[in-house]
Amino acid sequence: LIHGDSAFAGLGVCAEALQLTGLEGYTTGGAVHVVLDNQIGFTTEPHESRSSAHASDFAAGLGIPVLHVNADDVEAVDRAFTLAADWRAEFQRD
């Protein structure tokens, strides 16, 4: 799933869906969420729109691993996706 940073942090559906994944009947066996820090959707500065440094920080509170990668570093992006796919395959969760 690909999210803009404003959608991931600002839409309650993302947080709600992540919290439901541990319940029987709602699990998908894990998903990989890509959050693009593009600042396009925000009408305010990040420090005025959330209390955390990154839009994805609330996911860490749910025990979901969060990887921060510079998209200009193609090899790092590849390693992050490989790690995310391996995590999903092994643990069957977000």
Side-chain angles (χ1 to χ4, degrees), residues 35-66:
V35 182
L36 306 171
D37 186 11
N38 56 18
Q39 295 296 306
I40 291 174
F42 283 111
T43 57
T44 187
E45 295 295 319
H47 68 276
E48 295 174 340
S49 64
R50 61 181 179 265
S51 59
S52 61
H54 303 283
S56 59
D57 283 350
F58 78 87
L62 299 173
I64 298 169
V66 176

Side-chain angles (χ1 to χ4, degrees), residues 3 7-22 33 55-59 62 64 94:
H3 311 275
F8 194 76
L11 295 176
V13 68
C14 295
E16 184 177 353
L18 288 173
Q19 292 202 33
L20 291 173
T21 62
H33 298 263
S56 59
D57 283 350
F58 78 87
L62 299 173
I64 298 169
D94 289 336

Side-chain angles (χ1 to χ4, degrees), residues 24-36:
E24 188 175 333
Y26 291 94
T27 186
T28 61
V32 175
H33 298 263
V34 177
V35 182
L36 306 171

